[in-house]
Amino acid sequence: MSLRGIDTSKWQAGLSDTNISADFIFFKATEGVGYVDPDCAASYEEAKQAGKLLGVYHFARPDGNDPISEANFFVDNVLGYIGEAVLALDWETEPKGNVAWAK
């Protein structure tokens, strides 16, 4: 079986999650140690009502932040999604080879 999915953030605000031809949607929840995506909660609920599979992700900022602080910030902000959404880490910042930071 294969599933089709996308990830979204505030940059796709206004996109109708009910009309997306995807089985799952990942929503950006947090970034670094102080940013909460303003579109996450509303878009998440819309997709949930549409019966989509759900995920939330944290955009990592390893270029100066402590990984434990980032993980705690993410979990503190997604507590209501735990148990119904997949949690993920979005790693785009250099150095991408710094696997120890993510672990």
Side-chain angles (χ1 to χ4, degrees), residues 60-85:
R61 287 292 182 190
D63 49 346
N65 288 329
D66 169 63
I68 301 301
S69 297
E70 287 206 21
N72 288 337
F73 180 70
F74 176 53
V75 171
D76 288 347
N77 282 281
V78 299
L79 286 174
Y81 305 134
I82 294 174
E84 65 183 22

Side-chain angles (χ1 to χ4, degrees), residues 18-93:
T18 58
N19 295 327
I20 293 173
S21 178
D23 302 302
F24 66 87
I25 304 174
F26 271 79
F27 299 93
K28 179 178 184 176
T30 57
E31 179 175 330
V33 292
Y35 178 80
V36 175
D37 192 289
D39 192 56
C40 181
S43 291
Y44 181 96
E45 286 304 318
E46 182 182 354
K48 181 178 174 180
Q49 293 301 315
K52 305 289 185 184
L53 299 171
L54 304 165
V56 290
Y57 70 89
H58 174 77
F59 189 94
R61 287 292 182 190
D63 49 346
N65 288 329
D66 169 63
I68 301 301
S69 297
E70 287 206 21
N72 288 337
F73 180 70
F74 176 53
V75 171
D76 288 347
N77 282 281
V78 299
L79 286 174
Y81 305 134
I82 294 174
E84 65 183 22
V86 173
L87 308 183
L89 178 66
D90 183 1
W91 186 285
E92 298 182 28
T93 307

